[in-house]
Amino acid sequence: GFRIKEPDYQQVLQYCRGLLKNDPQNAFCQGDTIDEKLEVEGVIEDEMQEGVELNKCDHGPPLKRPRVHERELLTDVDKSPTCIEGISENITARIDASELDGAGVDGTITKAQVKQEYGHESFSGHLTAETCRTQDARSREDFRLNQSDHSNVADVSGEPWTLGTVVEVLTCALLQNGAKTPTHMSKILDGHQQVFAHLCPKSDEEKYAFSTAIVRCVFAFWIMSSQRLEITIDCMLHREIVTPRAVVEYALAERGPQGCDSMAVRNVINNIAKKSLERSQSVRAELAIAKKLGKTEELEECRRQLDTAIHETADLFTVIFTGLVRNHQDFEDTDTLLRHIMLQRILTIGRKYHMFIKPLIDTAESRIPGVAHNPDIAAIFHSLSTM
């Protein structure tokens, strides 16, 4: 019912809110008319305007060709000569010469003219302008009713849709339309990121569930393409459609082809960690400049931003290590190789980002669940703390 490739985010948002209130047709009935909201906008007008001026008679106003609906009503009823003859017997009347071209002196459409116009050899009789107008109006109304029925396709349960269901449908639609190339995906997300921003709940817990639903759709959609998975997640993180925490937790909990041991998940987590550290370093640089220039107000603001960035970085790496430790425990009785891989990844991440997360490494047993009760993992963090 709404355009994806040429987005109008207000219309898409209105439609989504209509689903949440069990009133999807509400998206089409406010403001403009239904005809202006449909994707087939212009089709009706093109058909209605087909009766454009063709020529002018010396004795009257411009003449018009019969419209598309008038011809279709005659041709679609029945192709048989019997039906055509029946119609011709019932619609014998006269018509004003100012309304249809090719009329006789007295305004009557001849049999030969109707045959030439409609292509029916067996048609004999006369056609009235009133009949044409009536049938044309009836066709317009039928078209409107059919299109308005299409707007209710989403209302299948008779109950309001949940926010999770609406966001999953919206995400899948955007992924499908942006799947051609990464450029297409970026354009689609640019046109609809405000829809996600308006639908996103305010509380942290609900916002996390909202982001997790989007991430789940992305992983399911790109289950067979690691590169496109990484690119799409990166685009959504850049536009703040999803949160780093939701991406990391879902990625480490995934057990499919793009599971926790896949290269795609490893790259996604490394990119998230790098961006978090880059933000911290950027704030540090701004703080140093503020100190050098002696700007007191900017100095206090930079200090607050730095504290926030350090806290967010610590929370992010806590989530990463917690997921890896949990996977190590989950594979205890099922896969020895994956347990070993999880240990090596903990060690690799700890070494790679040691200088940025040393306080977290030193307090790992108290801050990361499962470390104190697992000797192998505790030994790894102990070795990292002595570096």
Side-chain angles (χ1 to χ4, degrees):
F2 52 81
R3 293 175 182 264
I4 291 289
K5 295 183 179 179
E6 299 176 4
D8 179 356
Y9 86 90
Q10 292 181 343
Q11 183 179 349
V12 177
L13 179 62
Q14 190 177 17
Y15 185 83
C16 292
R17 287 174 172 171
L19 293 176
L20 294 171
K21 298 177 182 178
N22 189 27
D23 187 15
Q25 192 174 2
N26 178 58
F28 301 107
C29 295
Q30 295 183 5
D32 297 330
T33 63
I34 294 177
D35 294 342
E36 295 170 338
K37 293 295 185 181
L38 295 173
E39 288 188 13
V40 293
E41 179 182 4
V43 174
I44 302 175
E45 293 300 324
D46 290 342
E47 292 184 355
M48 294 300 104
Q49 294 296 331
E50 191 163 322
V52 296
E53 294 184 10
L54 298 178
N55 51 30
K56 292 187 177 181
C57 287
D58 296 335
H59 59 277
L63 302 180
K64 296 184 179 181
R65 183 184 301 278
R67 295 171 178 172
V68 171
H69 290 298
E70 299 161 7
R71 296 197 295 271
E72 291 178 348
L73 286 168
L74 292 174
T75 59
D76 292 342
V77 174
D78 193 347
K79 304 296 184 181
S80 65
T82 304
C83 180
I84 299 298
E85 289 292 339
I87 295 176
S88 66
E89 293 175 2
N90 292 328
I91 53 174
T92 58
R94 301 166 65 87
I95 183 169
D96 191 276
S98 64
E99 297 193 56
L100 290 175
D101 62 341
V105 177
D106 60 351
T108 303
I109 298 180
T110 66
K111 176 180 177 181
Q113 292 164 346
V114 174
K115 284 182 181 179
Q116 182 180 3
E117 182 67 32
Y118 296 99
H120 293 284
E121 293 298 331
S122 61
F123 190 94
S124 62
H126 307 284
L127 184 66
T128 66
E130 184 64 28
T131 301
C132 292
R133 285 194 293 268
T134 303
Q135 299 289 9
D136 181 57
R138 189 176 302 168
S139 299
R140 289 197 203 184
E141 184 63 21
D142 291 344
F143 186 87
R144 288 175 179 272
L145 291 176
N146 290 336
Q147 294 300 331
S148 63
D149 289 342
H150 292 165
S151 65
N152 288 323
V153 171
D155 188 15
V156 294
S157 64
E159 299 179 356
W161 289 31
T162 63
L163 179 59
T165 303
V166 172
V167 72
E168 287 178 357
V169 171
L170 175 61
T171 303
C172 290
L174 300 183
L175 292 172
Q176 183 67 37
N177 281 274
K180 188 174 182 180
T181 66
T183 303
H184 282 74
M185 183 63 70
S186 295
K187 183 178 179 181
I188 291 293
L189 294 178
D190 285 337
H192 294 84
Q193 62 180 353
Q194 295 186 61
V195 179
F196 288 105
H198 281 83
L199 292 177
C200 185
K202 300 301 181 183
S203 67
D204 293 339
E205 186 173 345
E206 292 179 343
K207 185 176 181 179
Y208 168 75
F210 181 86
S211 296
T212 302
I214 299 174
V215 174
R216 180 169 57 250
C217 292
V218 177
F219 269 80
F221 189 86
W222 293 117
I223 191 171
M224 302 305 294
S225 178
S226 300
Q227 186 179 28
R228 293 301 300 274
L229 173 63
E230 296 175 30
I231 294 173
T232 304
I233 290 293
D234 185 68
C235 289
M236 289 188 168
L237 286 169
H238 178 70
R239 293 165 176 79
E240 298 183 351
I241 296 175
V242 295
T243 62
R245 176 193 166 196
V247 175
V248 170
E249 289 196 354
Y250 185 86
L252 291 176
E254 179 65 17
R255 296 291 186 266
Q258 305 292 356
C260 59
D261 60 323
S262 67
M263 183 60 66
V265 169
R266 182 178 302 182
N267 291 337
V268 166
I269 292 176
N270 284 335
N271 289 336
I272 292 175
K274 287 179 180 179
K275 288 183 177 182
S276 178
L277 295 175
E278 287 173 358
R279 285 194 294 271
S280 299
Q281 294 303 309
S282 177
V283 174
R284 290 180 189 274
E286 292 178 1
L287 179 62
I289 294 174
K291 285 183 178 179
K292 184 176 180 180
L293 298 177
K295 297 181 178 181
T296 307
E297 295 182 359
E298 293 185 6
L299 185 64
E300 293 298 325
E301 179 64 22
C302 288
R303 284 175 178 171
R304 286 194 295 268
Q305 292 180 0
L306 181 59
D307 291 340
T308 302
I310 293 175
H311 180 71
E312 290 178 351
T313 300
D315 288 345
L316 175 62
F317 278 92
T318 300
V319 171
I320 293 173
F321 284 128
T322 299
L324 294 173
V325 172
R326 183 178 60 248
N327 289 341
H328 180 269
Q329 296 174 342
D330 292 343
F331 296 136
E332 182 175 2
D333 300 325
T334 58
D335 198 322
T336 304
L337 178 60
L338 284 178
R339 281 171 57 85
H340 178 71
I341 291 175
M342 294 301 110
L343 288 176
Q344 294 303 312
R345 290 188 64 184
I346 293 173
L347 181 60
T348 300
I349 292 175
R351 288 176 175 175
K352 187 174 183 178
Y353 303 106
H354 180 270
M355 64 177 297
F356 304 103
I357 59 173
K358 194 174 188 309
L360 174 62
I361 292 175
D362 294 338
T363 59
E365 293 188 2
S366 60
R367 297 182 61 178
I368 301 175
V371 174
H373 305 290
N374 192 307
D376 294 335
I377 296 177
I380 288 177
F381 279 103
H382 179 71
S383 65
L384 291 173
S385 63
T386 57
M387 291 178 63

